[in-house]
Amino acid sequence: MIETDVATITEMLKGFALGFGLDLLGAVLILIVGWWVAGRAAALVRHSLKSTKFVDATLKPLASSIVRYVILIFVIVAVLSNFGVETTSIIAVLGAAGLAIGLALQGTLSNIAAGVMILILRPLKIDEFIEAGSISGTVVEITLFTTLLKTPDGVFISAPNSQIWNSAIKNYSRNPTRRLDIKVGISYDDDVDAALEFLKNLVASDERVLKDPEPMSFVATLGESSVDLTARGWVATSEFWPTFFDLTRKSKTELEAAGFSIPFPQRDLHVIESAETASTAKSIAKPAGKPAAKTAAKKPATSSRSTASKTATKTTAAKKPPASKS
């Protein structure tokens, strides 16, 4: 009887192990194949969208990520169903877990929502230079959670989407043209009208400066040591910085070659001395040299007076009559 029970239990264990082993092996195979398929599908979507022109470059990495995560979710459901877990219970558990995770990760979910809004409204795109709050740089990629940027000096920035979305975004690359201001100061002795005309022609002579709107020049401010002039023109956004650097250099060299002077920061002080100020200064200055002379003159007088008083004392003592003898 006992041998029969042992044999029965052994057969049951063998059947369970064989069935569980097959299920485990099938789950592992499904997981490996699903992971590989998810990666290949994401790469295929990324490669296919790379050559298309009607899809914005900002959406391409996001689309490949969405495809990969969707396939992985189906793979996990298939693995669990392979072990006999009902999908309805899985969906219920995932719903409850999603609610709890959503309450715990409000900041992360806000980044997802901000990323979706950025992709829909598109205030920024890849390869555009933006400034959002204290962050500035060229957009490299926009993911579900973060926006990746690169600063002009090559620094990598990963900013949360919510921080970008909740700030005022300045997009320096969106408009096709930008205004260019060249500022320079001349001396007060120079001819202002001639300098304004020369500076305007200097900016207009550059081929990169647009003819419409027409370049102009004007007096910006009257500084402490110079008359500050500004020449203004419009250039293509891609040519802004090269044009700015060239015209800034030429405004210095060619203005000086034309006879205009660019003064250093300086300040002229004019001291006005009134009659009362002069008399007060003299009265203060006089006692400074006299006390020594007076002291030197008084010292001999003091010694002579003391000598005279001693002599008078001696004379009085000598003239005093002797005491009468009794």
Side-chain angles (χ1 to χ4, degrees):
M1 188 70 179
I2 297 176
E3 293 178 357
T4 304
D5 294 338
V6 172
T8 304
I9 294 172
T10 303
E11 291 297 331
M12 291 176 60
L13 290 176
K14 286 181 179 180
F16 177 75
L18 182 61
F20 182 77
L22 291 176
D23 291 340
L24 181 61
L25 181 60
V28 172
L29 289 176
I30 292 173
L31 187 61
I32 293 175
V33 174
W35 195 277
W36 180 81
V37 170
R40 294 296 297 174
L44 180 62
V45 171
R46 188 184 303 109
H47 180 72
S48 60
L49 292 178
K50 187 176 182 179
S51 57
T52 57
K53 297 181 179 179
F54 61 89
V55 179
D56 192 81
T58 308
L59 299 174
K60 295 177 182 179
L62 181 62
S64 62
S65 299
I66 291 175
V67 170
R68 181 172 181 270
Y69 287 125
V70 168
I71 294 176
L72 287 178
I73 290 173
F74 282 106
V75 168
I76 294 173
V77 173
V79 169
L80 293 177
S81 64
N82 191 59
F83 287 104
V85 180
E86 296 182 1
T87 55
T88 55
S89 61
I90 294 175
I91 295 174
V93 171
L94 290 177
L99 180 60
I101 293 173
L103 293 175
L105 300 176
Q106 294 181 7
T108 304
L109 294 178
S110 66
N111 290 329
I112 297 176
V116 171
M117 294 302 297
I118 290 174
L119 293 174
I120 293 175
L121 299 179
R122 293 192 293 180
L124 52 95
K125 297 180 182 179
I126 293 177
D127 294 333
E128 289 184 340
F129 189 88
I130 67 163
E131 179 181 342
S134 59
I135 300 173
S136 61
T138 303
V139 180
V140 177
E141 185 178 349
I142 301 174
T143 65
L144 279 177
F145 302 100
T146 59
T147 299
L148 309 181
L149 302 100
K150 182 180 179 181
T151 62
D153 55 347
V155 178
F156 171 80
I157 297 179
S158 178
N161 288 334
S162 59
Q163 183 176 356
I164 300 293
W165 179 250
N166 293 328
S167 302
I169 299 175
K170 292 183 179 180
N171 195 327
Y172 292 92
S173 306
R174 180 60 58 88
N175 293 333
T177 59
R178 285 187 63 182
R179 192 184 72 189
L180 179 72
D181 289 348
I182 303 298
K183 300 179 181 180
V184 64
I186 62 172
S187 175
Y188 273 91
D189 297 331
D190 292 334
D191 189 345
V192 175
D193 295 331
L196 287 173
E197 186 67 21
F198 184 87
L199 199 60
K200 176 184 176 181
N201 295 333
L202 176 65
V203 173
S205 63
D206 196 298
E207 297 180 353
R208 294 165 293 187
V209 178
L210 302 178
K211 305 304 179 183
D212 186 22
E214 185 181 358
M216 59 180 298
S217 61
F218 54 90
V219 177
T221 57
L222 299 177
E224 294 183 354
S225 58
S226 63
V227 179
D228 299 326
L229 311 180
T230 298
R232 176 170 294 173
W234 289 82
V235 297
T237 302
S238 59
E239 298 289 342
F240 178 82
W241 288 112
T243 309
F244 176 79
F245 294 143
D246 291 342
L247 290 180
T248 301
R249 177 181 56 83
K250 288 182 180 180
S251 65
K252 195 267 183 188
T253 57
E254 297 193 14
L255 273 175
E256 289 182 339
F260 300 97
S261 58
I262 302 177
F264 294 99
Q266 57 186 339
R267 180 176 295 176
D268 295 334
L269 298 179
H270 301 277
V271 181
I272 301 175
E273 185 177 0
S274 61
E276 296 181 0
T277 307
S279 60
T280 305
K282 290 180 180 179
S283 62
I284 294 174
K286 283 182 179 180
K290 290 183 178 181
K294 289 182 179 180
T295 306
K298 285 181 179 180
K299 281 185 178 179
T302 305
S303 59
S304 61
R305 287 179 183 176
S306 60
T307 306
S309 60
K310 288 181 180 178
T311 306
T313 305
K314 290 180 180 180
T315 305
T316 306
K319 292 182 178 181
K320 188 178 181 179
S324 58
K325 296 182 180 180
S326 54

